[in-house]
Structure formats: structure tokens, C-alpha cells
Amino acid sequence: MLIYGRASSFLLSLLIPFFLTRILLKEDYGSYQQLVMIYTIVQAILLFGMPQSLLYYYPRKEMGEHPLLVRQTWMILLFSALIVMSLFWLGSQIIDNHHLKEYLILLGIYTSLMIFVMPIQNLLILEGKTSTAMWSMIFFTVIDIAILPTAAWLNPTTLGILHGIIFAASLKVVMVLFHVYSTYLTKEISGTSYLKEQLAYGIPVGLTAMVYVINVNVDKYLVGLFFSSSVFAVYYLGSLWAPIFGWITQSASQVVTPMMSKAYKDGNLSEIKELYRNSISKLAFVFLPATILLIFIAEPLILTMFTETYRDSVPIFMIYLILVPTYSLNLGWILMASGQTKFLLKLALSMSIVNIILSYWLLTTLEGDNRLLGIPFSTVLVTWISTILVMNRSLATIESNFFETFPVKEMWKIASVSALSVLPVILLSALELSNPLTLVLSILSFGIMFLALSYRLKLIGENEIKLAKSFFPF
């Protein structure tokens, strides 16, 4: 359910750049996305891995010990928020003559607020409120859709959009803290504090997340360093799509990792393998057809969503699509559940270094437009190498092999059905219809043919149909 909720949230969130690219100038939109990039790095490390530590400790503790875990988790987050504010204030005092300097304090406020919000979905899932977690995800996206374009319309500058995201974050914090206080902090606290142990688990996870964010965004750092804000805006919209699919994987991780953690504690490796295999199968059913469809609708999609102004985003977008299948394979859940966070940190750090060196070499070696296109190529290559290494380590941990663990036959069926379903899309692209009409007809024709063939080949069963029906109120 969370996977589909995350997908719905993602589709809704596309309305935000749809409006902002029409309201803001390229320079202002580029500056805003550069600030968001800074936010993702700082947030990744200064969450101290608390969302993931909840997934690890909550199922291992008795019910009476949960209030203690939640209290010390949000105490850590409060300390983190204070550090965030101090860092951004210090940055605003040190940096001279940079176009982002005037926005740093406001960005610090936004980051501090969002620190309190990030673990809530993990907590709701652990409480058994998966449906609530899904709808909270969608509701938070609706808040952003309502507030951000309105703020940009009232003040079509980078400053205006910053005011908007701070207001949206404030609403989310109030809702999160109300749930935490009413559910846990009003109850009696029992048990002995294990703050150091939680930080010892969480900090490597936070560092890994930070390095992962840097690794995924190193191309954007280089583009921001060597190109103007307007070029950054074009590049960002091309690179936006593939990483967002990671949200779906994250949703699955929130459900599966606690199960794997308990199974590993009990020494039940066969259960872990089954969870792993089923997860890959379900994720492949989303990511493989999405990759093939998006390759063939790249141009009408970008031009419809962001106007002709951002046509140069299309080739960047297509290179990044090569990343999408990795999100169904690069599942470090087994390593997380078995406590191998240091391995993940070392891997992420080494891959980040390789990515930086390769990206910089391509940037300084290639000429013309190829300078820009060589950077995402480096990110894609390094990510695939990392994926293979994580897969190999995971298989070793559960004492299995590739063909026993991965649903190869089913993935081949999904890829074949996707390839057949894209044939009407190819025909539509030759008709020279308007971009919006081509986009709508392509998605509909692909979707109908893919679902029909999937049902015929039993890739879709009664469970999937019931799940789809559960999203409708009738």
C-alpha cells in the first residue's frame, strides 16, 4: 500500500514544478533548487539516522518501552535542529558575495522544522497504521501543492517560495508533534535509556545517507559550480525523475526492514530471502515498465510539464532513466537488518569519491553540450556498480545465490510485456500530434495494453486487484 501511496504522492508532487516553472524565472527556479539541494545534504546527516533507528529498535522492544524510544528519538531531533540553525547562521556570516547567501537563515529554519517531520511515516508504520502513513504522505504533498505555488504567485522570487516552504513545514510539524505527544509522551516512561546505542546505530546510517545524497547529487554540485542558475534549472528538471522513484523503494523499506530485522535476530534466513524476492518482484513490476514508457515519452512529457523553455532537459532526462531499474535491485535492506551499516557507509563513501573524480574528468575533458551530458553518465555508471556490490553482499549474508533469490523469469516477463506495450506509443509519436495529446494517448495506450497482457500472463492476480480497489472510496 505504501508503494502505491508514494507513487500517488509523486504524481501529485509533479504539479509543483508544473506551476513553479511557469511562475518563476529560470534564475529564480534554479536558485530555489540549489537551496533544496543544500537542504537534502544537511538533513541526511543531521537526522542522525533516526528514522532508520526506529525501524531497527521498535520491533525489538516491548510495547512498554516504546515511549522511551520515541522520547529519546525526538530529543535527538531537537538537538539536531539546534545544530542545523547554528550551522546555517554561521554559513550566512562566513560566506561573502554569493547569490544564495541571503537565503541561508531561512533555509536553516525550514531544515530545522523538517527534521522533526521526517521520522513520522516510519513511526506510523511501526504502529501498524500503514494506511494512515500512506494518507499522511499524500496529505503532506497536498499541503505543498496548495502553499508553494500560491507563495510563488504572491511573490514570484526565490524569497517568496522560501516563505512558502517554511509555512508548509510549520503545519506539518504541528501535526507530527501532536501525534508524538498524545500517543507517547503522555504515557509513563519505563526502561533504561540507550541513547548512546541508538546514536551508535543511527549515525553511520545518517552518514551513509549523506554520502548517498552527495553521490546522487554530485553532478548537480558540479553543474551549480561551473554553470549559471538558469542552466542548473534545466539540468535539475532533467535529473529530477529517476531519484524520485527512490521514494517508492523507501516506502517498501519502511515495511520490509523491520520484518527482516526480526527474522535475522531469529536466524530465519529463508524468511529474509522470501521477503527480498517478493519485494524485488513487486518493485520490478513498477520500475521496468516505467523505464521503457518514459524513454519513449520523454520529449512530450518534459515539454508538456515544463514548457518549451526547458527542452534542453530531455537528453539529461533520458540518461537518468538508465538509473530507474537499479531501484528495484539496489536494496540494502538485508544489510541494514543485519546491522552492516558500516559496510554501507564505506561503500557509499568510496562510490562518491569515484563519482566525483569521474564527473570532474568528464566535465573538464568533453566539449560543448557533451560537458553537461557526461556528468549524468558518470552518476549512472557509479550507481550501477554500487548496485551490483550491494546485491553480492546481500546474497552472501543470506547464504544464497542470484538465481535462487532474484525472480529472473518474472522480471523477464515484465520487461517483455513492457516492450510489447510500447509499440502503440511508437506509432503515436510518428503522428506529429500536439505534445499534451501525444502524452495522454501514449500513457493510456501503454497502460491498457500493459495491464491486459499482465493479467493474461498472470503477472497481476486477485491480490493486486484487491489492493488497487482499496484506493477507491467506492
Side-chain angles (χ1 to χ4, degrees):
M1 182 176 287
L2 272 180
I3 293 176
Y4 296 99
R6 185 75 73 173
S8 301
S9 179
F10 161 60
L11 292 174
L12 286 171
S13 71
L14 293 178
L15 291 172
I16 297 172
F18 177 84
F19 289 118
L20 293 185
T21 52
R22 286 162 170 79
I23 297 171
L24 301 176
L25 296 174
K26 261 188 182 182
E27 290 75 11
D28 285 312
Y29 186 71
S31 294
Y32 164 63
Q33 290 301 342
Q34 285 176 313
L35 291 169
V36 170
M37 184 175 63
I38 296 171
Y39 154 75
T40 56
I41 300 173
V42 175
Q43 180 214 64
I45 184 171
L46 289 179
L47 271 172
F48 294 130
M50 288 302 101
Q52 291 81 5
S53 73
L54 283 175
L55 295 177
Y56 182 81
Y57 282 105
Y58 198 98
R60 295 172 180 239
K61 299 294 179 181
E62 299 296 329
M63 185 175 292
E65 297 177 291
H66 290 163
L68 173 63
L69 172 62
V70 172
R71 185 184 72 170
Q72 69 183 32
T73 297
W74 262 266
M75 283 177 59
I76 292 170
L77 294 176
L78 174 61
F79 177 69
S80 175
L82 295 174
I83 295 176
V84 168
M85 282 301 304
S86 301
L87 287 175
F88 277 99
W89 176 83
L90 186 63
S92 68
Q93 302 301 309
I94 294 174
I95 296 173
D96 291 322
N97 301 322
H98 194 280
H99 69 286
L100 299 179
K101 172 183 169 68
E102 61 179 304
Y103 309 121
L104 288 182
I105 291 179
L106 289 175
L107 185 62
I109 295 172
Y110 172 70
T111 307
S112 299
L113 292 171
M114 289 304 294
I115 287 286
F116 292 103
V117 175
M118 294 309 295
I120 187 60
Q121 286 164 9
N122 284 13
L123 183 60
L124 289 171
I125 292 162
L126 291 164
E127 292 170 359
K129 301 174 181 176
T130 306
S131 179
T132 304
M134 181 194 74
W135 286 111
S136 70
M137 193 187 309
I138 294 172
F139 183 63
F140 283 176
T141 302
V142 171
I143 289 175
D144 290 335
I145 293 170
I147 293 175
L148 270 59
T150 303
W153 179 70
L154 293 172
N155 182 6
T157 63
T158 305
L159 186 62
I161 196 67
L162 275 175
H163 290 154
I165 62 174
I166 289 173
F167 180 57
S170 299
L171 295 178
K172 296 173 189 176
V173 168
V174 170
M175 288 184 278
V176 169
L177 293 183
F178 175 79
H179 175 77
V180 170
Y181 179 80
S182 61
T183 307
Y184 295 98
L185 302 188
T186 56
K187 295 182 179 179
E188 182 180 350
I189 306 295
S190 62
T192 305
S193 176
Y194 47 97
L195 198 65
K196 290 182 180 179
E197 291 84 353
Q198 189 177 3
L199 284 170
Y201 176 87
I203 288 177
V205 174
L207 290 171
T208 301
M210 180 203 69
V211 174
Y212 173 78
V213 168
I214 291 175
N215 193 23
V216 170
N217 292 288
V218 67
D219 56 334
K220 301 181 189 67
Y221 308 144
L222 292 170
V223 172
L225 185 63
F226 287 93
F227 297 92
S228 66
S229 294
S230 59
V231 173
F232 183 88
V234 170
Y235 189 90
Y236 171 80
L237 291 175
S239 63
L240 165 70
W241 302 75
I244 289 179
F245 281 94
W247 293 358
I248 300 175
T249 305
Q250 181 185 349
S251 296
S253 171
Q254 290 170 327
V255 176
V256 176
T257 302
M259 297 179 186
M260 287 186 172
S261 178
K262 186 176 184 305
Y264 188 82
K265 182 183 178 183
D266 297 338
N268 193 347
L269 298 183
S270 61
E271 182 180 346
I272 296 176
K273 183 168 72 172
E274 190 63 26
L275 286 168
Y276 192 57
R277 183 183 179 87
N278 289 339
S279 298
I280 292 170
S281 176
K282 288 180 171 59
L283 291 171
F285 188 78
V286 175
F287 294 137
L288 293 181
T291 303
I292 293 174
L293 173 62
L294 289 171
I295 287 172
F296 287 94
I297 64 169
E299 184 172 315
L301 176 63
I302 295 293
L303 299 186
T304 299
M305 289 296 300
F306 310 125
T307 75
E308 186 74 28
T309 305
Y310 292 92
R311 175 178 284 275
D312 291 341
S313 297
V314 174
I316 299 164
F317 169 74
M318 294 187 72
I319 293 174
Y320 261 99
L321 286 177
I322 305 171
L323 273 182
V324 175
T326 66
Y327 291 106
S328 61
L329 300 173
N330 189 7
L331 307 179
W333 308 343
I334 293 175
L335 305 183
M336 293 280 290
S338 57
Q340 299 183 60
T341 55
K342 290 183 179 178
F343 170 80
L344 290 172
L345 174 59
K346 291 176 182 177
L347 176 63
L349 185 59
S350 59
M351 289 297 101
S352 181
I353 293 171
V354 172
N355 197 6
I356 291 170
I357 294 172
L358 182 57
S359 294
Y360 183 78
W361 178 74
L362 290 171
L363 179 65
T364 55
T365 303
L366 299 175
E367 297 179 356
D369 293 340
N370 289 332
R371 294 180 69 220
L372 210 54
L373 299 180
I375 301 175
F377 172 80
S378 171
T379 301
V380 168
L381 178 61
V382 170
T383 302
W384 269 105
I385 293 172
S386 176
T387 297
I388 293 169
L389 293 174
V390 169
M391 289 166 58
N392 184 63
R393 181 82 172 204
S394 297
L395 292 174
T397 301
I398 61 174
E399 300 174 5
S400 185
N401 60 54
F402 181 83
F403 290 102
E404 283 183 358
T405 306
F406 288 81
V408 177
K409 184 178 179 180
E410 189 171 350
M411 291 171 70
W412 174 253
K413 276 187 181 181
I414 294 169
S416 300
V417 169
S418 301
L420 287 173
S421 301
V422 86
L423 294 177
V425 178
I426 297 172
L427 294 175
L428 284 168
S429 64
L431 297 179
E432 298 184 0
L433 303 173
S434 66
N435 287 318
L437 184 58
T438 300
L439 180 63
V440 172
L441 291 177
S442 296
I443 293 173
L444 288 175
S445 61
F446 180 89
I448 292 169
M449 191 166 178
F450 178 79
L451 292 174
L453 290 173
S454 296
Y455 184 76
R456 182 85 175 180
L457 295 173
K458 294 182 170 48
L459 291 172
I460 297 176
E462 292 299 323
N463 291 334
E464 287 76 16
I465 293 173
K466 287 179 182 178
L467 179 60
K469 287 180 178 179
S470 70
F471 286 96
F472 297 98
F474 48 84

